Amino acid sequence: PRSDCITAEQQCLSDSTCNATYRILENCALAKTRLLPLDHDSRVRCLNAELDLGNSSLLHCRCHRRMKRQEHCLRIFWTVHSSMTDGYFNLETSPYENPANEEHWKTDYNKLAALLSGKDCSQLAGDATNLCLKATHVCNLSKKCVRLRTDYASICTRGAGSEDTCDRRKCHRGLRNFFEKVPEDFTKRILFCPCQDELCGERRRKTIVPDCSFQYNTKPNCLWLLDSCLEDHICKSRLADFQQNCQPADMSPDGCSQHNHAACLQAYMGMIGTPMTPNYVSNSSAEISLWCTCESSGNQKEKCDQILGMFESNKCL
């Protein structure tokens, strides 16, 4: 059975041969993180070390998005698979275990209210047309949901209306906490609530506090966003997960190469709170995008368009 990477690392370090191989890979990953150029012999040594792991549990380990010490687990995964990120956009393999199946994503409001029996559900009546407002009321029935939602909202709105800028890093961390620790029955309802008017659309778009977590004063180049993402273990991992589970397929009836929209939506939620945080582009549509542009991309425009297109014109998503 596939183990998590922290357990696999412990097993490897207790074996002298595996330990020595792993230390070589750690040095290879460190050089890559510091953007130090490797000579031909060093590159061969790194590649051979990865091959030497053979059927080691380290080579096949994965992480869980809601696990403790997640960043440590992801660091181990990318140490072992550092050759996969050799200067191109497609990361090929997600470090995360396969997400929950479709059925887990089909809970309706009535069932959710039933799960919270004994709590005051009268506030759910509200405006039936504003399902985003209704989703917020459902969140308020859960102590954890309302606490973590209040936490990130407080962090992400500090400095609003003044010359101070928000602390984007803390805002992103608060958003990740919310989407990782609150059950998906709550978070997906808030993020994917269907809207018929702009008032509802505005609440949906502001779920992730765009002024702090999404928008800059000017749009950066998408390649800059990608570089920022690849320098961060969590963002790189979420991007790999997104690419694997939201890979479009023109010839597929559902537009997805993996034929699993639930996995794609879960991977999309994983991008929120990273340097490549996406969001709805306006109050009047369900279209989403990254906050970046491909203008002035020079001879890398095709690569830049590919990054932006994974969010803007992805049939699977």
Side-chain angles (χ1 to χ4, degrees):
R2 179 182 285 171
S3 63
D4 73 75
C5 292
I6 294 176
T7 302
E9 183 191 48
Q10 291 169 346
Q11 292 171 347
C12 177
L13 296 181
S14 65
D15 175 87
S16 58
T17 304
C18 187
N19 191 334
T21 303
Y22 185 61
R23 296 305 179 192
I24 293 173
L25 288 172
E26 281 188 316
N27 290 331
C28 298
L30 186 62
K32 185 162 287 191
T33 300
R34 294 177 177 174
L35 301 178
L36 299 174
L38 293 174
D39 59 32
H40 174 73
D41 290 345
S42 297
R43 286 199 300 272
V44 170
R45 185 166 63 252
C46 293
L47 191 57
N48 285 339
E50 190 172 318
L51 294 172
D52 285 345
L53 286 178
N55 289 321
S56 160
S57 57
L58 258 180
L59 197 62
H60 306 286
C61 71
R62 290 291 185 271
C63 302
H64 305 283
R65 189 176 282 114
R66 293 176 178 240
M67 73 186 294
K68 292 180 180 179
R69 301 177 69 197
Q70 180 187 163
E71 288 190 57
H72 178 61
C73 184
L74 295 173
R75 181 186 61 77
I76 297 167
F77 178 89
W78 292 116
T79 294
V80 175
H81 297 281
S82 62
S83 66
M84 285 166 46
T85 57
D86 238 357
Y88 59 87
F89 173 48
N90 294 308
L91 298 174
E92 293 186 352
T93 303
S94 170
Y96 291 110
E97 284 286 2
N98 289 335
N101 61 29
E102 292 273 2
E103 290 304 314
H104 180 69
W105 282 70
K106 293 179 180 175
T107 305
D108 61 22
Y109 282 114
N110 292 330
K111 182 178 176 184
L112 196 54
L115 291 173
L116 297 162
S117 58
K119 299 194 176 184
D120 180 16
C121 294
S122 60
Q123 59 184 314
L124 293 181
D127 181 2
T129 62
N130 193 336
L131 292 178
C132 290
L133 182 60
K134 192 172 183 179
T136 303
H137 288 329
V138 170
C139 173
N140 290 341
L141 297 177
S142 161
K143 288 181 180 178
K144 177 180 275 189
C145 186
V146 72
R147 174 173 59 81
L148 290 176
R149 182 172 171 271
T150 302
D151 284 352
Y152 85 72
S154 171
I155 295 167
C156 298
T157 52
R158 281 178 195 157
S162 69
E163 293 182 1
D164 296 332
T165 56
C166 72
D167 190 325
R168 181 171 277 111
R169 187 180 292 272
K170 285 186 178 179
C171 176
H172 281 165
R173 192 183 307 128
L175 278 165
R176 288 202 309 274
N177 263 340
F178 177 73
F179 284 103
E180 286 175 13
K181 294 180 180 178
V182 175
E184 288 168 359
D185 280 329
F186 296 100
T187 56
K188 69 184 181 185
R189 296 290 172 183
I190 289 176
L191 191 63
F192 301 125
C193 41
C195 289
Q196 304 297 323
D197 58 55
E198 290 198 20
L199 196 64
C200 177
E202 181 181 23
R203 178 171 282 271
R204 180 173 61 188
R205 190 177 67 83
K206 288 188 173 179
T207 293
I208 67 163
V209 198
D211 287 347
C212 185
S213 69
F214 179 64
Q215 296 171 194
Y216 296 78
N217 291 331
T218 57
K219 282 189 176 183
N221 188 280
C222 298
L223 295 170
W224 179 83
L225 275 192
L226 177 64
D227 288 342
S228 299
C229 184
L230 295 180
E231 291 171 4
D232 179 279
H233 279 129
I234 286 184
C235 188
K236 179 165 64 173
S237 301
R238 302 297 172 83
L239 181 60
D241 195 50
F242 178 77
Q243 285 186 295
Q244 177 176 296
N245 290 299
C246 295
Q247 192 63 241
D250 290 336
M251 302 302 290
S252 173
D254 64 1
C256 296
S257 63
Q258 299 287 326
H259 310 295
N260 191 338
H261 280 116
C264 178
L265 291 179
Q266 189 180 48
Y268 171 82
M269 289 171 69
M271 295 301 301
I272 297 170
T274 71
M276 288 183 73
T277 294
N279 198 11
Y280 296 97
V281 297
S282 74
N283 298 340
S284 56
S285 80
E287 293 178 13
I288 57 96
S289 180
L290 297 174
W291 184 261
C292 64
T293 177
C294 284
E295 293 178 11
S296 306
S297 295
N299 60 2
Q300 290 191 296
K301 189 171 188 310
E302 186 178 346
K303 179 181 177 182
C304 186
D305 287 338
Q306 182 188 6
I307 297 164
L308 195 52
M310 282 292 289
F311 293 87
E312 284 190 345
S313 53
N314 186 332
K315 288 182 179 179
C316 181
L317 179 63

